[in-house]
């Protein structure tokens, strides 16, 4: 029998008759070696963090975390966030050992094409992965959002909700600015059921953290209003005691500073930056296994006694989930109306006839689309219990306050209005956490120019397919006197570059209502509403296509028989293009006006429909949008032109800006005439 065959045969007897402490040590070393082997086989990855945090993670997952591999989406499960997503093999190993659908072959396929074990964890609730992490700090803020969602649900359904949010965070997470914002707000809100374990290994990619990081982390978090605890991250009983203390604290989130050794057990790479982001190497893997008293071969070795240990805990957890299910059934029978609300909220259900209840807007009246959005929001919030949100200290400007509803505040979680403060970074990622948790359709408002602060969170929301709504107001240079620092010119286009993000720039108040409908019905990704600060006329739809056509993204607003030219516009420029077309029609020109409210929705339409909106034979086309022109060539073609602003803005009243930069019907008509004269 070969050496490998001998080792494989020993899987049934290896580690038998060990004391409980020694059995735990065997289980922890199983996690370490699986991580080492996965990274080594992939020839890339981060072995050091999983090896260093294996003890602490084992304690969390086997003694405290309430989850159910048989029911991964149990609503009352504790949430676990691996914010230090580079240590993904730690999470994958735990999921495999607990019996989630992550097989040993999946661990062997780490970072490979088509595998379910990518380099950083990707949202997969059926496999026990609560959120996509890796961009440092995002998971930290996601967890704050999850903890807030739990408290808000518990305020409504206290008999069936009361779980914790756990996470592992790294030095990198705590350096990134987003974690400062989220930690500050978590402390302010007194989110006592939020418990983070800080992997204090004092190593980053470049070397020791003292190269650039010398603050007192504990004092910083104490200043935020957190409970700060300390433990030897390799002393499992000390970690467990710290978690017990954290769970006992009702009014403060807890940071447990776990002093650890990166690549724990590696004879030559423990406590070195070399182990952070690269495989240990075949020789060092062998040396580490020998130092741990572990069989050198075969790789990905899991002793049977370790499998039994995790299987026993899984059975206990599954029984807890079943007991909750029985308790929920009794609660539902005792509280049918409240249970119906719970189910509607968890399903994010929309009532029938919702659109008929929305306000009507008088044609011809100038209404800023941000104001229209605020009016629509009042009705939607009353009808859709899952809809909650706020702004980054801009509610009076973004019109995102739900009137008559209470604020969510420290120790008071029954409201609907979220006060994020001046924290766009945290707001974006916390909304992701709330959506991921379930039970909420979160929205957040700020000026479009500040979407840059939220971009990483927006990108991850799109990647994870989360139903999040961004209310971006002050959407163009027509912000006016605030000047170029607050006038977005490239932002709409930069958002359109994010896959699976639907960007809608409605032309008037009725289209704004329709844009909200799209956002509430769309379950597969986030939606950004780009809304005006200044008033735009409500279009008189007689002779025009209805506002409901916004759902198709682009549509023929004003048709023309055998058109010789197409004007394509968005947002507040639609009425300008419409008036320009009418000026040209008076001269005998046949101009079709297309409202391209959403590129993404339009591109989803069948080709036959898109050809009716933009007939290929009509090559003289002109886009009209008060922003950069890059990208419009996809719709105007090689023979078309784009009228926009390929520079930063200027401080002046918005009507002056419109005149100076040619966003008047007369100026647009003049450009169109020049294009028509140029011939086909």
């Amino acid at each position: 029998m070969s050496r490998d065959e001998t080792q494989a045969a020993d899987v049934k007897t290896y580690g038998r008759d060990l004391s409980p402490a020694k059995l735990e040590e065997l289980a922890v070393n199983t996690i370490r070696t699986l991580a080492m082997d996965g990274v080594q086989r992939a020839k890339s990855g981060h072995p050091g963090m999983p090896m260093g945090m294996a003890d602490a993670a084992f304690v969390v997952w086997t003694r405290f975390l309430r989850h159910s591999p048989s029911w991964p989406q149990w609503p009352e499960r504790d949430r676990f966030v691996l914010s230090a997503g580079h240590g993904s093999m730690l999470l994958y190993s735990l999921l495999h050992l607990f019996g989630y659908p992550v097989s040993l072959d999946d661990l062997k396929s780490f970072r490979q094409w088509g595998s379910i074990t990518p380099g950083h964890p990707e949202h997969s609730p059926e496999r026990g992965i609560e959120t996509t992490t890796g961009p440092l700090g995002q998971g930290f803020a996601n967890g704050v959002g999850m903890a807030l969602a739990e408290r808000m649900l518990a305020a409504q359904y206290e008999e069936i909700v009361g779980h914790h949010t756990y996470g592992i965070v790294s030095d990198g997470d705590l350096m990134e600015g987003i974690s400062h914002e989220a930690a500050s707000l978590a402390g302010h809100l007194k989110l006592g059921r939020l418990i983070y374990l800080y992997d204090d290994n004092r190593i980053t990619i470049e070397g020791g953290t003292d190269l650039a990081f010398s603050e007192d982390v504990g004092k910083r978090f104490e200043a935020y209003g957190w409970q700060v605890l300390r433990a030897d991250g390799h002393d499992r009983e000390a970690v467990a005691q710290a978690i017990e203390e954290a769970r006992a604290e009702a009014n403060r989130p807890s940071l447990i500073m776990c002093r650890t050794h990166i690549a724990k057990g590696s004879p030559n790479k423990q406590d070195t930056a070399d182990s952070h982001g690269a495989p240990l190497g075949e020789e060092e893997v062998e040396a580490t296994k020998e130092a741990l008293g572990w069989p050198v071969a075969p790789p990905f070795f899991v002793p049977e006694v370790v499998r039994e240990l995790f299987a026993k805990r899984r059975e206990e957890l599954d029984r807890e989930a079943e007991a909750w299910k029985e308790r929920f059934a009794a609660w539902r029978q005792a509280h049918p109306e409240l249970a119906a609300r719970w189910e509607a909220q968890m399903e994010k259900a929309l009532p029938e006839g919702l659109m008929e209840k929305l306000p009507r807007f008088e044609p011809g009246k100038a209404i800023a689309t941000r104001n229209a959005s605020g009016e629509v929001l009042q009705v939607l919030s009353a009808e859709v219990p899952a809809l909650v949100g706020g702004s980054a200290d801009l509610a009076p400007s973004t019109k995102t306050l739900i009137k008559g509803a209470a604020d969510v505040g420290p120790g008071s979680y029954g409201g609907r209005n979220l006060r994020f403060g001046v924290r766009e970074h945290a707001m974006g990622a916390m909304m992701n956490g709330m959506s991921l948790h379930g039970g909420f359709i979160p929205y957040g408002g700020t000026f479009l120019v500040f979407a840059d602060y939220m971009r990483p969170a927006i990108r991850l929301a799109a990647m994870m397919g989360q139903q999040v709504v961004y209310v971006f107001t002050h959407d163009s240079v027509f912000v006016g006197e605030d000047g170029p620092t607050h006038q977005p010119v490239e932002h709409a286009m930069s958002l359109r570059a994010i896959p699976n993000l639907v960007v809608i720039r409605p032309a008037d108040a009725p289209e704004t209502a329709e844009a909200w409908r799209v956002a509430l019905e769309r379950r597969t990704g986030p939606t950004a509403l780009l809304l005006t600060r200044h008033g735009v006329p409500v279009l008189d739809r007689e002779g025009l296509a209805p506002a409901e056509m916004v759902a198709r993204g682009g549509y023929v607003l004003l048709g023309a028989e055998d058109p010789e030219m197409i004007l394509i516009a968005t947002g507040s420029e639609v009425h300008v293009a419409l008036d320009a077309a009418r000026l040209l029609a008076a001269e005998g020109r046949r101009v079709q006006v297309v409202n391209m409210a959403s590129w993404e929705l339009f591109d989803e339409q069948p080709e036959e429909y898109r050809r009716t909106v933009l007939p290929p034979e009509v090559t003289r086309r002109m886009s009209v949008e008060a922003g950069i022109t890059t990208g419009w060539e996809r719709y105007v073609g090689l023979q078309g032109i784009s009228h926009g602003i390929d520079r930063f803005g200027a401080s002046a009243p918005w009507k002056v800006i419109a005149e100076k930069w040619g966003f008047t019907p007369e100026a647009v008509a003049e450009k169109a005439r020049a294009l028509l004269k140029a011939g086909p």
Side-chain angles (χ1 to χ4, degrees):
M1 184 179 289
S2 70
R3 180 184 182 188
D4 285 358
E5 289 172 331
T6 301
Q7 296 286 2
D10 288 344
V11 70
K12 294 183 178 180
T13 58
Y14 188 86
R16 290 284 176 195
D17 302 322
L18 291 176
S19 68
K22 288 294 184 181
L23 179 57
E24 281 194 358
E25 185 70 21
L26 192 70
V28 169
N29 284 336
T30 302
I31 296 168
R32 286 194 176 104
T33 56
L34 286 174
M36 284 192 298
D37 287 339
V39 172
Q40 192 61 44
R41 176 167 289 199
K43 296 184 171 55
S44 71
H46 301 74
M49 180 275 192
M51 296 169 68
M53 281 300 286
D55 288 292
F58 174 83
V59 171
V60 173
W61 277 69
T62 60
R63 301 195 198 181
F64 296 98
L65 193 72
R66 294 168 63 244
H67 59 112
S68 174
S70 299
W71 187 12
Q73 292 173 277
W74 174 26
E76 180 54 5
R77 70 190 182 279
D78 290 333
R79 272 44 171 195
F80 176 82
V81 176
L82 184 68
S83 189
H86 55 276
S88 56
M89 274 301 297
L90 174 65
L91 180 57
Y92 298 150
S93 299
L94 286 163
L95 294 174
H96 168 70
L97 292 170
F98 268 103
Y100 285 89
V102 179
S103 69
L104 206 58
D105 284 339
D106 292 325
L107 299 186
K108 294 176 182 179
S109 300
F110 178 54
R111 287 181 167 235
Q112 304 309 300
W113 177 264
S115 78
I116 62 167
T117 49
H120 294 83
E122 296 180 13
H123 176 236
S124 179
E126 69 278 7
R127 296 190 181 95
I129 302 174
E130 300 285 2
T131 182
T132 298
T133 55
L136 291 173
Q138 290 289 326
F140 185 110
N142 289 169
V144 175
M146 292 176 186
L148 177 57
E150 184 276 335
R151 288 290 79 198
M152 291 175 67
L153 283 175
Q156 300 177 67
Y157 313 102
E158 61 181 352
E159 294 181 48
I160 56 169
V161 178
H163 51 269
H164 287 78
T165 300
Y166 296 91
I168 291 177
V169 304
S170 64
D171 291 302
D173 287 297
L174 300 191
M175 289 187 206
E176 288 286 0
I178 187 174
S179 68
H180 295 241
E181 291 187 4
S184 172
L185 190 51
H188 170 75
L189 291 172
K190 301 184 182 301
L191 299 178
R193 288 176 175 263
L194 176 64
I195 301 171
Y196 281 163
L197 282 72
Y198 167 31
D199 178 19
D200 184 14
N201 63 37
R202 304 182 188 179
I203 295 291
T204 59
I205 292 175
E206 293 184 354
T209 54
D210 57 1
L211 289 170
F213 190 56
S214 54
E215 68 200 46
D216 189 322
V217 170
K219 287 183 179 178
R220 169 155 67 90
F221 274 77
E222 286 173 354
Y224 287 145
W226 288 54
Q227 173 180 229
V228 176
L229 304 166
R230 291 169 174 82
D232 178 344
H234 304 298
D235 183 337
R236 292 186 293 280
E237 294 310 315
V239 171
Q241 182 177 344
I243 295 174
E244 290 284 11
E245 289 185 49
R247 287 170 56 87
E249 172 55 62
N251 297 316
R252 290 180 294 170
S254 295
L255 182 74
I256 302 173
M257 299 181 65
C258 297
R259 183 69 179 98
T260 61
H261 297 281
I262 194 170
K264 171 72 172 173
S266 172
N268 302 300
K269 294 195 175 182
Q270 178 175 307
D271 295 327
T272 70
D274 289 344
S275 67
H276 174 88
L280 298 180
E282 296 288 355
E283 291 183 4
E284 188 65 15
V285 167
E286 185 171 333
T288 302
K289 288 182 177 179
E290 289 178 347
L292 295 174
W294 197 262
V296 172
F300 300 96
F301 175 69
V302 180
E304 192 68 24
V305 289
V306 171
R307 291 204 180 278
E308 292 169 3
L309 174 68
F310 281 94
K312 180 180 179 182
R313 180 57 180 156
R314 171 180 174 150
E315 290 174 2
E316 294 169 353
L317 290 166
D318 285 345
R319 284 197 295 272
E320 283 193 44
E322 285 300 315
W324 180 88
K325 188 181 292 185
E326 292 176 7
R327 190 166 77 250
F328 177 82
W331 173 81
R332 174 195 278 170
Q333 188 171 4
H335 306 281
E337 291 185 6
L338 194 58
R341 179 184 172 90
W342 161 273
E343 289 170 359
Q345 193 163 341
M346 298 307 290
E347 294 171 6
K348 303 177 183 180
L350 305 180
E352 292 185 11
L354 178 61
M355 294 306 292
E356 284 69 30
K357 298 179 182 179
L358 295 183
R360 296 290 182 261
F361 301 97
E362 180 184 343
K365 185 177 180 180
I367 304 174
T369 53
R370 63 168 175 159
N371 291 342
S373 172
E375 291 186 44
V376 169
L377 180 60
Q378 305 313 310
V379 177
L380 295 177
S381 61
E383 297 291 329
V384 184
L387 188 63
V388 298
S391 76
D393 193 49
L394 288 169
S397 292
T398 57
K399 311 301 180 185
T400 45
L401 192 69
I402 299 174
K403 298 175 183 177
D407 290 345
V408 172
S412 178
Y413 309 108
R416 304 283 293 280
N417 290 310
L418 304 178
R419 305 289 189 168
F420 290 102
V422 188
R423 300 186 183 96
E424 279 93 352
H425 298 85
M427 179 173 73
M430 285 176 62
M431 288 194 297
N432 287 350
M434 295 182 73
S435 176
L436 289 160
H437 180 279
F440 295 104
I441 304 172
Y443 68 85
T446 189
F447 295 171
L448 178 56
V449 76
F450 302 135
D452 286 343
Y453 289 158
M454 299 172 62
R455 190 176 186 85
I458 296 171
R459 181 174 184 267
L460 287 170
M463 194 178 295
M464 294 187 284
Q466 291 305 296
Q467 187 179 16
V468 175
V469 184
Y470 309 108
V471 182
F472 292 134
T473 66
H474 297 58
D475 72 337
S476 73
V477 291
F478 302 135
V479 169
E481 292 87 344
D482 278 344
T485 60
H486 283 55
Q487 293 171 354
V489 290
E490 76 276 24
H491 296 75
M493 207 61 76
S494 74
L495 290 175
R496 289 170 181 147
I498 299 176
N500 197 39
L501 171 66
V502 164
V503 179
I504 308 177
R505 193 163 180 245
D508 65 359
E511 287 196 2
T512 303
E514 291 297 327
W516 265 107
R517 178 173 65 84
V518 170
L520 292 182
E521 290 180 351
R522 185 170 185 262
R523 303 295 182 87
T524 56
T527 304
L529 310 182
L530 277 50
L531 308 174
T532 69
R533 174 182 182 268
H534 66 293
V536 292
V538 176
L539 298 176
D540 185 343
R541 294 284 169 167
E542 186 175 351
L544 305 177
E548 290 86 348
M549 292 296 291
V550 164
R552 306 201 77 166
Y555 67 96
V556 178
L557 177 64
L558 177 66
E561 188 174 348
D562 189 23
E564 55 184 327
M565 183 182 182
I566 301 174
L567 289 178
I568 313 169
T570 74
S572 57
E573 291 76 79
V574 169
H575 78 92
V576 176
L578 190 61
D579 288 345
R582 287 166 175 160
L583 289 175
L584 293 168
E587 300 168 9
R589 292 295 191 174
R590 305 182 305 280
V591 179
Q592 182 159 290
V593 178
V594 168
N595 179 354
M596 192 62 71
S598 173
W599 292 20
E600 299 78 22
L601 295 175
F602 180 69
D603 290 346
E604 290 175 357
Q605 304 306 311
E607 181 181 359
E608 182 180 356
Y609 171 78
R610 286 183 281 125
R611 283 175 171 268
T612 64
V613 177
L614 298 175
E617 64 273 12
V618 184
T619 58
R620 284 177 289 189
R621 304 176 183 178
M622 176 177 165
S623 65
V624 184
E625 185 173 59
I628 62 171
T629 58
T630 304
W632 274 111
E633 56 273 9
R634 72 188 298 172
Y635 297 124
V636 302
L638 295 176
Q639 297 181 49
I641 61 172
S642 293
H643 180 42
I645 302 174
D646 290 306
R647 51 155 289 178
F648 291 118
S651 180
W654 77 266
K655 290 184 179 179
V656 174
I657 291 174
E659 181 181 352
K660 295 295 185 182
W661 282 334
F663 287 94
T664 64
E666 294 76 16
V668 170
E670 187 57 35
K671 281 195 172 244
R673 289 187 194 99
L675 181 59
L676 286 164
K677 289 177 183 176

